[in-house]
Amino acid sequence: MLLGSSSAAIRRISVSWLIMANNSNFKSHRLSRSDDAALALESSTRRPRTMSTHSSLKDAFSSYADHLNALNEKRERIVKASRDVTMNSKKVIFQVHRISKANREEVLEKAEKDLAAVRDQHISRLVKELQGTDFWKLRRAYSPGVQEYVEAATFFKFCQTGTLLNLDEINASLLSLSDPSLEPLQINLLDYLLGLADLTGELMRLAIGRISDGEVEYSERICQFVRDIYRELTLLVPLMDDGSDMKTKMDTMLQSVVKIENACFSVRVRGSEYIPLLGSSDPSSFLVGVSDAEL
């Protein structure tokens, strides 16, 4: 009797265990199926978003690359135009240096035509490239050419009238090159001052040349003109925020002033010693017949 009750109890336990095992298997299977469905749903919802994000990033970087390529191509064109402006402006300066009492009108007329050609043919290319854009971003690309143009224009103006060509006059001459519907390209103050600093070097060469031709008074006027420029700039340059280039050129400008002063001083004080250098064998030499007291 006891053995039979034990067997019945064991059977009931076995049946209960089987039922629990089946229930757990069913639950785990059901959970795995629900997990698979959730993962499938999540992957199906993520996949299109990932592809869309990748596509938008690719389009954005592609547009950035196109913009940078266009900017680099524009910069190369501007650099080439600036080089052409520099080269042709130097030709104007060389032409003006040929000036003398005998050919003054002829030289200045030729220089004026050459300067107009630089403006109409080469500066106009810069205006076309830079007009309507943020041209200050590309200043380093075109600044050397603009400085050389300012130097040539102011040098010609001084030899023609003995006065200084100011920034407003230069910019006014460039307005005709711009499209009236767009913002015109204007030479900024820093490039004008840098070109003006280079002008003093050309005036120093001109003064030395005029002394050798006997035009001492003209050289003295040049000396005073260069002094005035240097004096005014010494007051301005320390106040400039971006004046590193200008400070370097101020040292060169001072050297030009000293060279002109020394040349004029030497001729005036020790003029008799310069007779062999200035062609005193010519009876029309400006120093012949001039006493040391007058010198």
Side-chain angles (χ1 to χ4, degrees), residues 66-133:
D66 293 339
H67 173 73
L68 291 176
N69 288 335
L71 184 63
N72 288 333
E73 291 175 0
K74 178 185 286 290
R75 181 180 289 107
E76 290 298 324
R77 293 194 299 269
I78 291 172
V79 168
K80 186 177 185 306
S82 178
R83 288 172 181 166
D84 292 338
V85 171
T86 299
M87 179 180 64
N88 289 277
S89 296
K90 286 184 181 296
K91 291 181 180 180
V92 174
I93 293 172
F94 296 154
Q95 173 67 24
V96 175
H97 272 299
R98 297 189 180 99
I99 193 171
S100 65
K101 288 182 178 180
N103 63 358
R104 182 176 183 277
E105 297 299 329
E106 179 185 353
V107 169
L108 291 180
E109 182 180 358
K110 177 68 165 58
E112 185 176 14
K113 292 179 180 179
D114 292 343
L115 188 64
V118 174
R119 181 180 63 249
D120 297 336
Q121 297 178 16
H122 304 291
I123 293 291
S124 61
R125 288 168 53 196
L126 284 178
V127 172
K128 182 178 179 181
E129 291 290 346
L130 297 169
Q131 189 173 238
T133 64

Side-chain angles (χ1 to χ4, degrees), residues 17-18 81 85 112 141 171 173 181 205 219 254-255 259 288:
W17 184 82
L18 290 173
V85 171
E112 185 176 14
N171 282 330
S173 68
S181 62
R205 297 180 184 92
S219 299
L254 178 59
Q255 294 176 9
K259 288 179 181 179
V288 173

Side-chain angles (χ1 to χ4, degrees), residues 39-48:
L39 290 174
L41 178 62
E42 184 179 0
S43 62
S44 64
T45 56
R46 283 182 178 177
R47 187 175 298 111

Side-chain angles (χ1 to χ4, degrees), residues 141-268:
Y142 67 83
S143 179
V146 170
Q147 294 176 34
E148 197 69 30
Y149 175 75
V150 169
E151 181 183 355
T154 52
F155 187 44
F156 167 76
K157 180 71 173 181
F158 175 81
C159 292
Q160 185 183 46
T161 64
T163 59
L164 178 65
L165 182 67
N166 61 47
L167 180 59
D168 291 337
E169 291 174 327
I170 295 179
N171 282 330
S173 68
L174 301 180
L175 288 177
S176 61
L177 305 176
S178 302
D179 187 346
S181 62
L182 299 174
E183 181 182 0
L185 174 65
Q186 298 285 275
I187 296 176
N188 61 61
L189 180 60
L190 179 57
D191 287 337
Y192 173 77
L193 293 178
L194 290 171
L196 197 61
D198 293 334
L199 167 67
T200 59
E202 299 302 332
L203 290 176
M204 180 270 294
R205 297 180 184 92
L206 180 66
I208 300 301
R210 294 306 90 214
I211 289 176
S212 65
D213 287 345
E215 300 179 47
V216 181
E217 292 183 357
Y218 186 50
S219 299
E220 291 176 346
R221 290 200 301 269
I222 295 175
C223 181
Q224 186 59 49
F225 184 75
V226 175
R227 279 176 181 168
D228 293 340
I229 293 176
Y230 180 76
R231 183 182 65 249
E232 297 299 328
L233 289 180
T234 53
L235 301 175
L236 176 63
V237 171
L239 304 177
M240 297 172 62
D241 294 332
D242 186 17
S244 57
D245 294 340
M246 195 66 201
K247 290 175 183 177
T248 302
K249 291 195 175 187
M250 288 297 292
D251 296 335
T252 305
M253 190 186 309
L254 178 59
Q255 294 176 9
S256 298
V257 173
V258 172
K259 288 179 181 179
I260 301 174
E261 289 177 341
N262 288 339
C264 293
F265 176 81
S266 298
V267 171
R268 282 297 182 184

